[in-house]
Amino acid sequence: MRTKYILLVVLQALLLVGMIGMKQAWIARGEKIKLKTVPVDPRDIFRGDYARLRYDVSTLDLDSLNCKDTFKNNDKVYVTLKKSEKNYYEAASASLKKPAGGLFLQGRTKYGARTNSKWEVKLKDESGEVHIFHPQWFYGIKKGETAIFCLDKQGNVQNSMKENPEYPQKCYGEGVVTVKGIIEDVIETKYQLLDVEYGIESYFVEEGAGRVIESAPRSSEVLVEISLNKKGKGLITGLYIDGKRY
């Protein structure tokens, strides 16, 4: 009985060492890339400090990617990647078939494709300058009405609101820019979206750092470094907020 117990302990130790070795080999041999992301959801006190993550490539615009495949819930999907001007990677295409080459992520679809709207809003500010905005949503404000747009450090629309003289609205947040003016045109375009999970949506960090990441301002640039293997599976190796590594 004692011999069997010792053998069991030794086998468990060898298994653990093997898993660590495989992980280190993956990190050493994999292609290092960065993905743009924003942290979501609060800290899970039952699992220690970690960041819940969602990426730009987590939601795919199938029309802009010129994707012809029909996706259902829980399909295996391959997302080919391209490098952006800002040194992180973006989706170039999506397919049910594994690419013959190049960098790609392998994931699973959620819910299948769904219809959504994208917006292009033309606004003339108080100085006469015309701005073109692409908010994630735009409802309740019509052409000819006065609107207020709140922009982050990268110039993305955080929020928009119709002017109410009785209750003046303000934009809040560090580095947030306010643009106010008359809406000259609003264009709504319908398109197909696909949600994908890649198995890299959680990242464990040092004690106390999880809250720092979760509470990072929406205007911060959050990038995740992953080691990508030949099968398109990623392993997180680092997380950066405005250039600082966590």
Side-chain angles (χ1 to χ4, degrees):
M1 180 67 73
R2 180 179 176 83
T3 301
K4 291 182 178 180
Y5 176 76
I6 293 174
L7 286 174
L8 180 60
V9 172
V10 171
L11 287 173
Q12 289 178 334
L14 289 174
L15 179 62
L16 180 60
V17 171
M19 291 174 63
I20 294 174
M22 291 176 63
K23 181 178 179 180
Q24 293 303 316
W26 183 342
I27 293 174
R29 298 173 185 173
E31 182 82 18
K32 300 295 191 305
I33 68 170
K34 290 180 181 178
L35 301 173
K36 188 177 181 182
T37 180
V38 288
V40 297
D41 290 349
R43 179 177 182 261
D44 185 339
I45 61 175
F46 299 106
R47 298 180 63 187
D49 272 45
Y50 83 110
R52 290 288 306 279
L53 303 167
R54 184 171 178 82
Y55 303 84
D56 274 5
V57 294
S58 296
T59 301
L60 305 175
D61 180 343
L62 298 179
D63 292 332
S64 68
L65 295 178
N66 197 29
C67 182
K68 305 301 182 183
D69 289 348
T70 300
F71 297 96
K72 301 185 297 295
N73 183 41
N74 204 39
D75 278 343
K76 184 182 290 186
V77 60
Y78 298 92
V79 179
T80 303
L81 302 171
K82 62 180 180 181
K83 199 170 188 178
S84 72
E85 296 179 354
K86 294 186 177 181
N87 207 35
Y88 57 78
Y89 282 77
E90 302 172 323
S93 65
S95 175
L96 293 169
K97 296 181 180 180
K98 183 179 178 180
L103 293 178
F104 61 90
L105 276 168
Q106 179 189 145
R108 288 279 179 181
T109 63
K110 294 179 62 180
Y111 320 120
R114 55 188 172 88
T115 302
N116 202 6
S117 294
K118 66 173 62 175
W119 306 88
E120 180 176 289
V121 181
K122 182 184 294 186
L123 177 144
K124 180 182 288 187
D125 67 22
E126 295 168 318
S127 67
E129 182 180 355
V130 175
H131 304 262
I132 304 294
F133 297 124
H134 296 91
Q136 291 186 351
W137 58 269
F138 192 76
Y139 297 102
I141 310 176
K142 301 176 182 179
K143 182 178 178 180
E145 295 181 329
T146 301
I148 299 169
F149 280 78
C150 305
L151 312 180
D152 64 17
K153 294 178 182 178
Q154 286 77 44
N156 301 313
V157 178
Q158 280 193 350
N159 191 20
S160 60
M161 61 199 87
K162 181 179 177 180
E163 183 188 41
N164 186 340
E166 296 183 6
Y167 302 97
Q169 302 96 329
K170 294 182 180 180
C171 297
Y172 297 94
E174 182 180 352
V176 174
V177 176
T178 301
V179 180
K180 176 181 175 182
I182 304 296
I183 301 296
E184 292 202 327
D185 198 13
V186 179
I187 300 174
E188 178 185 7
T189 305
K190 300 288 185 180
Y191 65 106
Q192 293 292 302
L193 281 182
L194 184 68
D195 293 318
V196 183
E197 289 187 339
Y198 302 97
I200 49 174
E201 285 74 28
S202 295
Y203 178 54
F204 289 82
V205 294
E206 295 181 4
E207 180 67 27
R211 291 183 178 180
V212 174
I213 295 169
E214 296 291 355
S215 62
R218 291 178 60 188
S219 57
S220 298
E221 182 180 66
V222 183
L223 301 178
V224 169
E225 179 188 77
I226 68 170
S227 182
L228 191 63
N229 66 17
K230 294 181 179 180
K231 296 180 180 180
K233 304 298 289 184
L235 188 67
I236 297 177
T237 55
L239 189 147
Y240 298 81
I241 300 178
D242 290 335
K244 182 178 180 181
R245 186 184 178 95
Y246 286 86

